[in-house]
Amino acid sequence: MGCVQAGPPIIPQEQGDGVNRLYWIPNENMEWRARQNIKGRSHAMFLVNQVAIWKKLSGETVDQLPLQPLPIQIERAESTKLMSAWDFIPLIYQGQVLEILNGGNPVVRRFPSHDDIVERSKTNLRGATMAQVVLNEYTMLLRLQGAGEPGKIPHEASDVVKERAGMNLLQAWNFQILVNQEAMWNKMPFNQRSIWG
């Protein structure tokens, strides 16, 4: 089954920090899909949650993610190394990102599939893009907690990724997530101190 593209790039209100665009904003179709037990749900959930975290980074009050990881998603991420469970790990990390931005200090941990994810992220094989998404979100958490090395996001969105993000295919959502992650990385407090005073 095909998907509806998340829509053209939407430019939020200027924040005055030099980082002012979240490239892919979920439309109503994707928000609906994020709440259904159908293929692509976790990707849609992640994109919807990215908008909430972006709002938090822009100074709005966001107490929790609009779409929390489901118990079955958490259980699978914690109990298996299967690639099918990789989609759920970024959702868990997302919640921890928001928790830190709200003053919390969650325990950031690696899941059983972490080493496999690292290896797959270096390839052009199936699952590589989601592996890169996982590692970007994981590194974002470490940087928010003052760990890790300063620098660029581990996996930047290449020109090919940006082109594929515009395709009207379910698989394009991974690429949209990756493009958005790069924008969010640049807007994080460890890169944009002026946001936080």
Side-chain angles (χ1 to χ4, degrees):
M1 180 176 179
C3 79
V4 175
Q5 188 174 317
I10 296 176
I11 303 176
Q13 182 178 355
E14 290 283 343
Q15 302 301 321
D17 59 3
V19 183
N20 55 45
R21 183 169 62 177
L22 190 64
Y23 293 89
W24 294 99
I25 307 295
N27 59 16
E28 291 182 2
N29 180 285
M30 185 177 291
E31 291 186 2
W32 173 85
R33 194 179 192 97
R35 292 171 171 82
Q36 309 304 313
N37 187 23
I38 54 180
K39 186 176 181 180
R41 179 181 189 177
S42 58
H43 303 80
M45 290 173 67
F46 195 88
L47 280 159
V48 170
N49 287 341
Q50 279 185 322
V51 175
I53 294 175
W54 184 268
K55 289 179 178 178
K56 176 65 181 179
L57 291 169
S58 299
E60 297 184 32
T61 299
V62 180
D63 294 327
Q64 65 179 15
L65 295 176
L67 296 168
Q68 302 287 332
L70 304 173
I72 185 63
Q73 293 174 328
I74 296 173
E75 190 276 332
R76 290 195 64 192
E78 291 177 339
S79 64
T80 180
K81 292 184 177 183
L82 294 177
M83 191 180 298
S84 58
W86 294 5
D87 295 354
F88 310 135
I89 297 173
L91 287 170
I92 298 168
Y93 285 156
Q94 254 188 341
Q96 292 183 312
V97 165
L98 184 59
E99 186 177 347
I100 293 172
L101 293 175
N102 281 324
N105 187 30
V107 177
V108 179
R109 60 192 178 85
R110 296 180 176 184
F111 287 85
S113 55
H114 186 86
D115 290 341
D116 293 340
I117 288 171
V118 170
E119 290 306 311
R120 182 56 60 108
S121 73
K122 303 172 185 177
T123 74
N124 291 319
L125 301 175
R126 184 175 68 89
T129 304
M130 180 49 63
Q132 292 172 3
V133 166
V134 172
L135 294 178
N136 280 349
E137 208 69 19
Y138 175 73
T139 307
M140 222 176 286
L141 277 171
L142 296 183
R143 293 289 292 115
L144 282 168
Q145 291 190 322
E149 296 295 327
K152 295 181 179 180
I153 194 167
H155 295 283
E156 297 179 285
S158 66
D159 290 340
V160 172
V161 165
K162 292 175 181 176
E163 180 182 351
R164 290 180 178 175
M167 297 169 63
N168 190 27
L169 297 171
L170 190 66
Q171 294 89 336
W173 293 2
N174 278 348
F175 303 125
Q176 292 172 6
I177 289 170
L178 201 62
V179 171
N180 277 355
Q181 276 185 323
E182 188 170 341
M184 296 183 74
W185 174 274
N186 293 330
K187 199 175 178 68
M188 285 288 166
F190 50 79
N191 283 322
Q192 299 291 325
R193 298 180 184 279
S194 60
I195 297 174
W196 306 93

